[in-house]
Amino acid sequence: MGIVRRQSTYSTIFTYIGFAIGAINTMILFPKFFSTEAFGLTRIMIEFSLFFSAFSTLGSLNALYKFNPFYKDFLPKGKNDLPYLTLMANLIGCVLFLIAALGFEPFWEKHFGHGSPLFVTHFRLVIPFTISYTFIMLLEAYCWVIKKTIITNIVKELFYRLTTTVFILLYILHWISLETFFTLFSYSYVPALLVLIYVIYKNGGLTICAKISRATQRLYKKILVFVTYHYSGMLIGVLPRTIDGLLIAGMTDQGLENLAIYSIPIYLASIMDGPFRSMVGITTTLIAEAWKNKDMAKIKELYQKTSINLLIIGLAIFGILLPNIDNLIRFNPAYGMAKAIFIVAGLAKIIDLGMGMNAQILVLSKYWKMDFYSSVIFIVVNIILDYFMILHFGVMGAAYGSAIALIFYNLIRFFYLWWLFNLQPFDRKTLYVLLIAAAAIFITWQVPFMGNLFLDAIIRSVIFGLLYGPAVLYFNISEDINAMYKGVVQKFLRKS
């Protein structure tokens, strides 16, 4: 876990710098200087682009992760044509997306015209946003296979948010109009894309070989079968991340306004995903190599350690945010339902993080079709639950539906891995960290309001940290976290 710990640590630092900038954009600048409808438009642009970018990859990225170790073994350096084939698949996917997006404009107008008319008039801005994000994903995949995950996290998580901040400031200073802001926002990923292209070019770690190799001639049938199943599963898997916003915008009156309010607590819950996003790049590569080498001990180690590490950090973030959620409502009463939405989404995310890298282990195994089948079940359950929950409970129903579906999905994959490989990520330390976090959150929540929002937030965060952090270290819940702590202390003592 040394390489995972090192790269994950650096990636997490930059990821959370990005989250901090994103929090300023999402929770302060957008609500203060933009109408709720205009803010909601930026959210639904992101929701659409997440799904359409997954469509545009044509399932090629996971084929790159799974089969690249075999290509490296079979082919001399410079003769690997898998990156080229992946590039061509993404170019074709973007052309197909462009045709579909323009061809279905009447459908979007009919579905969103009542609750979200602003989105209908700005729908074409989804096109540059989606295409640029598709190629960000492609270049990220290239960096993953050569184990250069830190730079991708810096560029992907940091540059996009900084670019958005710059565009917001230009609007606040009245240097650009609102329409110009929307146009520039649709190109927010372009600076990050250009930087990644430059970094990969300078690194020289990946050669684009257009000549079809003997490895492709031998493996193309397996690759096509894998891509066909996994592409469908990937589309199905990404839809739950977007279905809430699409249904809220399309089913409720004042859809964009409701989506804007809903996005605040969901953004807070997404902060808990930071460690996973930092860890998944290098861990996916190591899991693929372990499956190729049939190293079940390594897979078990990665499964258990990612589970406990993600759970510890996820609970730490949840424990800081939850006692402070009332300060968010005091800051802006329009976020009144934020607490309930965050509790539901946050608890589901804790379960998701505690399951570790179950998706990566399953999809890279010989039973990868199971991931497709479980994804099909997941999306059907998710759409049905979301539809009826929103119908009966409004915006809050979206949180209920997504949380139930996410928990159900993780349970399916948990039992698959337990049944197929006798793998499960939990031990008594899982229970210990849950009890420690629950006690720390309960005590922190009992602290009376200090009269000042920022002072209160600082005091609550410090109290939780002093209760939670030392207890996790004392009981040695995670060897990796304890090793990191000792390393930091030793460096500090040497400098002093």
Side-chain angles (χ1 to χ4, degrees):
M1 287 291 287
I3 187 172
V4 176
R5 183 165 63 239
R6 287 193 302 273
Q7 295 207 25
S8 297
T9 300
Y10 289 119
S11 295
T12 299
I13 291 170
F14 288 106
T15 296
Y16 277 108
I17 293 174
F19 272 128
I21 296 170
I24 293 171
N25 294 340
T26 303
M27 300 173 64
I28 298 176
L29 297 181
F30 271 122
K32 184 173 179 61
F33 296 101
F34 292 77
S35 69
T36 309
E37 186 181 24
F39 179 28
L41 175 61
T42 64
R43 300 304 95 190
I44 199 169
M45 285 172 62
I46 294 171
E47 304 289 350
F48 260 76
S49 296
L50 282 174
F51 177 76
F52 284 135
S53 59
F55 165 84
S56 300
T57 66
L58 298 182
S60 60
L61 302 186
N62 276 285
L64 181 64
Y65 303 144
K66 182 173 179 62
F67 291 99
N68 192 66
F70 297 94
Y71 274 73
K72 287 173 60 180
D73 283 354
F74 291 153
L75 299 171
K77 189 174 181 180
K79 300 297 183 180
N80 186 347
D81 60 327
L82 191 57
Y84 169 76
L85 296 174
T86 307
L87 173 62
M88 290 299 102
N90 279 262
L91 288 171
I92 293 169
C94 285
V95 173
L96 294 175
F97 154 70
L98 186 61
I99 295 170
L102 296 176
F104 280 90
E105 273 192 291
F107 172 79
W108 310 126
E109 183 174 352
K110 179 180 179 181
H111 185 68
F112 294 99
H114 172 67
S116 307
L118 188 65
F119 176 61
V120 174
T121 59
H122 293 79
F123 173 73
R124 292 196 177 191
L125 294 179
V126 172
I127 293 173
F129 200 101
T130 301
I131 291 176
S132 58
Y133 188 68
T134 300
F135 281 94
I136 284 284
M137 293 171 65
L138 173 65
L139 295 180
E140 179 185 45
Y142 285 170
C143 289
W144 282 13
V145 299
I146 60 174
K147 299 180 182 178
K148 299 291 183 180
T149 61
I150 297 175
I151 188 62
T152 60
N153 277 286
I154 295 172
V155 172
K156 185 180 177 183
E157 302 293 348
L158 201 55
F159 271 62
Y160 158 69
R161 292 181 171 92
L162 280 173
T163 303
T164 302
T165 304
V166 170
F167 294 157
I168 292 173
L169 292 176
L170 292 176
Y171 173 72
I172 292 173
L173 295 171
H174 303 292
W175 291 359
I176 61 173
S177 66
L178 183 61
E179 287 301 315
T180 304
F181 169 80
F182 288 144
T183 302
L184 290 175
F185 183 79
S186 70
Y187 290 90
S188 296
Y189 273 110
V190 172
L193 180 63
L194 295 175
V195 171
L196 268 186
I197 291 172
Y198 176 77
V199 168
I200 292 176
Y201 171 75
K202 292 294 289 184
N203 182 69
L206 203 66
T207 302
I208 302 296
C209 176
K211 183 179 179 180
I212 300 301
S213 68
R214 65 179 186 275
T216 297
Q217 294 171 4
R218 290 179 58 184
L219 295 172
Y220 78 93
K221 290 183 180 179
K222 291 183 179 180
I223 293 174
L224 287 176
V225 172
F226 177 84
V227 167
T228 300
Y229 272 89
H230 192 73
Y231 179 49
S232 304
M234 182 183 64
L235 293 179
I236 289 169
V238 79
L239 193 55
R241 289 184 286 168
T242 62
I243 191 65
D244 291 0
L246 301 182
L247 290 177
I248 289 171
M251 289 178 61
T252 64
D253 294 331
Q254 300 179 321
L256 291 182
E257 290 90 335
N258 288 331
L259 177 57
I261 294 171
Y262 180 78
S263 68
I264 299 294
I266 294 302
Y267 180 81
L268 290 174
S270 74
I271 294 175
M272 298 167 61
D273 243 347
F276 175 84
R277 291 160 71 164
S278 303
M279 195 181 295
V280 67
I282 186 61
T283 306
T284 298
T285 304
L286 295 177
I287 290 171
E289 291 176 353
W291 275 124
K292 183 182 74 70
N293 298 327
K294 298 181 180 180
D295 189 348
M296 290 303 298
K298 184 66 174 179
I299 292 170
K300 181 178 180 180
E301 178 191 13
L302 289 167
Y303 192 18
Q304 292 181 338
K305 288 195 172 184
T306 57
S307 169
I308 196 65
N309 291 340
L310 289 172
L311 185 61
I312 289 171
I313 302 173
L315 285 168
I317 298 166
F318 184 75
I320 290 173
L321 292 176
L322 182 58
N324 281 299
I325 204 76
D326 288 324
N327 286 324
L328 173 65
I329 299 171
R330 294 185 185 105
F331 175 75
N332 191 334
Y335 302 153
M337 66 174 67
K339 181 192 288 188
I341 294 174
F342 176 72
I343 290 173
V344 172
L347 290 175
K349 181 54 63 179
I350 287 171
I351 294 173
D352 184 41
L353 292 172
M355 294 293 184
M357 298 289 172
N358 56 7
Q360 288 68 32
I361 293 173
L362 186 59
V363 78
L364 294 172
S365 74
K366 64 180 180 181
Y367 296 103
W368 50 265
K369 291 182 183 179
M370 293 289 193
D371 184 72
F372 167 75
Y373 299 137
S374 63
S375 296
V376 172
I377 296 171
F378 176 36
I379 195 59
V380 170
V381 171
N382 200 168
I383 292 176
I384 292 173
L385 282 173
D386 270 10
Y387 179 82
F388 286 103
M389 290 286 187
I390 291 173
L391 204 61
H392 288 89
F393 300 105
V395 176
M396 192 67 214
Y400 292 142
S402 292
I404 294 170
L406 182 61
I407 294 170
F408 177 66
Y409 187 36
N410 273 285
L411 288 175
I412 291 176
R413 291 191 296 198
F414 170 80
F415 285 112
Y416 269 157
L417 291 175
W418 197 2
W419 173 47
L420 294 171
F421 306 110
N422 196 29
L423 291 173
Q424 64 87 19
F426 307 125
D427 59 20
R428 66 181 185 279
K429 291 183 177 180
T430 306
L431 177 61
Y432 293 165
V433 73
L434 290 172
L435 292 175
I436 291 169
I441 291 171
F442 177 78
I443 294 171
T444 305
W445 220 338
Q446 305 310 307
V447 176
F449 179 58
M450 297 296 165
N452 180 280
L453 293 179
F454 298 103
L455 177 63
D456 187 83
I458 292 171
I459 290 176
R460 288 180 192 277
S461 301
V462 170
I463 290 173
F464 175 81
L466 292 175
L467 292 170
Y468 181 74
V472 169
L473 293 173
Y474 177 79
F475 288 103
N476 194 25
I477 304 296
S478 165
E479 296 176 2
D480 292 306
I481 290 176
N482 275 52
M484 287 171 56
Y485 171 74
K486 290 177 182 177
V488 170
V489 170
Q490 289 173 357
K491 287 183 181 179
F492 177 77
L493 292 176
R494 282 198 298 268
K495 288 181 179 180
S496 61

